[in-house]
Amino acid sequence: MFRLDGKIALVTGASGGIGREIARALHAQGAGVVLSGTRQGVLEDVAAEIGAQGGAERVHVCAADLSDPAAAEALVAAAEEKAGAPLAILVNNAGLTRDTLAIRMKDEDWSRVLDVDLAAPFRLCRAALKGMLRRRAGRIVNIASVVGVTGNAGQANYAAAKAGMIGMGKSLAQEAGSRGVTVNTVAPGFVQTAMTDVLPDAQKEKLVGAIPLGRMGQPQDIAPAVVYLASDEAGWITGATIHVNGGMAMP
Amino acid sequence: MSEIADKVKKIVVEHLGVDESKVTPDASFIDDLGADSLDTVELVMAFEEAFSVEIPEDAAEKITTVKDAIDYIEKQKAA
């Protein structure tokens, strides 16, 4: 079950902790993966790492700066050219944070997060959907966050972008459903990555204390949910949000 | 039949997978050719691409038949 042989998947933010694990997992199921991110060197390292498991010819690198609307717009076509086949799976995983309390948040902090975390995924969905609707097949998985549902002090921008992503996904799911294209969301909780490493230890302890399963998540906890949603077996689930958060929130 | 009309017909046949004989000028995309709302949007986008024209949303809404499409594109091309 959940094999993805012959399918091409584009994963944005593939140089980050969760993104690289998603790419690795999709590849392990047989998919061809196109790794995107801003850091060409890191992407190449990730590609080499994934390729070392075998199937190196199914790993491609396609760097792009998603804060540039034109780059986001062009990424799907560029990825298809690299992989030599149309895109079957789009995983919008790239995201960044600019945390601060709202009263100190600058317009620039707000708009940069909304641009990269919400507008860019929209542009990628739009570009991918054109082909997927025509081909009557496709899977889009957007990586949101538990804070898009619960909110979080210091993350008004990030929480707004991630909540927006969930609403966007539900809308796209309705638009694309008649063509067999599904759009779903995975909302990770508190996962150990470079993004959360910067949090002070005291805050981490407090966060873990609020997780019924008693530990931080690992990228390996998130990727299987993406694999499932990308698979043929998930053909009757769309517009859904799968919460993978150790029980931290149960919306 | 004009070159534009020919091309429009071809796009409709291709996109909706209908028999060419059904694509008469008065044929309605939705009522006669089995298109849904997403098909009509995709058709308009295909016309835009094929003829290098921009069809704004309010004009697109009024294009419901094959003839509507041909007339609109001919008018744009003549302008």
Side-chain angles (χ1 to χ4, degrees):
Chain A
M1 273 169 97
F2 313 129
R3 291 297 305 176
L4 302 171
D5 303 280
K7 299 200 158 98
I8 302 299
L10 168 62
V11 181
T12 67
S15 53
I18 294 179
R20 82 168 64 191
E21 181 55 27
I22 290 171
R24 197 201 57 74
L26 293 172
H27 180 266
Q29 292 305 108
V33 291
V34 183
L35 314 174
S36 190
T38 49
R39 296 171 294 170
Q40 176 82 27
V42 182
L43 289 172
E44 278 167 13
D45 291 346
V46 174
E49 214 177 282
I50 294 174
Q53 309 173 327
E57 73 290 347
R58 291 185 281 117
V59 189
H60 313 273
V61 169
C62 201
D65 178 4
L66 295 181
S67 62
D68 171 7
E73 195 70 56
L75 179 56
V76 170
E80 291 181 332
E81 198 181 321
K82 276 266 161 76
L87 196 64
I89 302 159
L90 167 65
V91 182
N92 275 307
N93 166 72
L96 53 82
T97 53
R98 287 278 185 282
D99 296 354
T100 187
L101 294 181
I103 55 170
R104 283 183 59 83
M105 191 175 285
K106 296 186 171 60
D107 278 355
E108 194 201 304
D109 298 326
W110 173 267
S111 44
R112 177 142 177 88
V113 169
L114 268 289
D115 275 351
V116 174
D117 295 5
L118 184 59
F122 170 71
R123 292 185 184 109
L124 287 164
C125 285
R126 182 174 58 190
L129 277 173
K130 283 180 191 166
M132 289 176 175
L133 294 174
R134 249 197 325 269
R135 292 189 296 275
R136 305 287 194 265
R139 295 277 184 266
I140 294 177
V141 183
N142 292 320
I143 309 303
S145 164
V146 63
V147 307
V149 176
T150 60
N152 191 24
Q155 293 196 304
N157 47 4
Y158 186 69
K162 294 304 190 181
M165 189 178 232
I166 292 172
M168 172 182 79
K170 291 177 182 177
S171 304
L172 299 181
Q174 293 180 33
E175 293 185 14
S178 67
R179 300 301 190 266
V181 176
T182 68
V183 185
N184 290 289
T185 306
V186 172
F190 185 36
V191 178
Q192 193 169 12
T193 66
M195 201 190 259
T196 54
D197 281 345
V198 296
L199 296 173
D201 283 343
Q203 198 183 341
K204 278 191 213 170
E205 265 169 48
K206 206 176 136 206
L207 279 163
V208 171
I211 300 174
L213 288 173
R215 63 171 176 89
M216 287 177 81
Q218 297 297 323
Q220 291 80 357
D221 293 313
I222 307 303
V226 179
V227 167
Y228 165 62
L229 291 171
S231 71
D232 288 343
E233 285 81 354
W236 206 53
I237 177 168
T238 194
T241 301
I242 297 188
H243 290 271
V244 186
N245 60 28
M248 181 184 181
M250 305 180 185
Chain B
M1 204 184 261
S2 74
E3 203 178 305
I4 287 174
D6 266 350
K7 210 160 148 187
V8 165
K9 236 176 128 170
K10 215 176 133 201
I11 291 169
V12 173
V13 167
E14 215 167 89
H15 191 89
L16 299 180
V18 290
D19 199 88
E20 206 181 323
S21 64
K22 282 191 161 177
V23 188
T24 58
D26 290 331
S28 152
F29 297 125
I30 291 178
D31 296 333
D32 301 316
L33 301 176
D36 64 13
S37 63
L38 188 52
D39 285 317
T40 61
V41 173
E42 286 185 297
L43 269 178
V44 164
M45 288 171 70
F47 295 146
E48 287 182 323
E49 201 179 335
F51 296 100
S52 308
V53 295
E54 194 150 327
I55 307 178
E57 205 62 36
D58 52 342
E61 276 169 24
K62 290 182 193 123
I63 298 178
T64 62
T65 67
V66 176
K67 187 171 181 301
D68 290 341
I70 296 169
D71 287 351
Y72 184 85
I73 295 160
E74 279 181 342
K75 216 163 85 192
Q76 294 299 304
K77 284 299 186 188

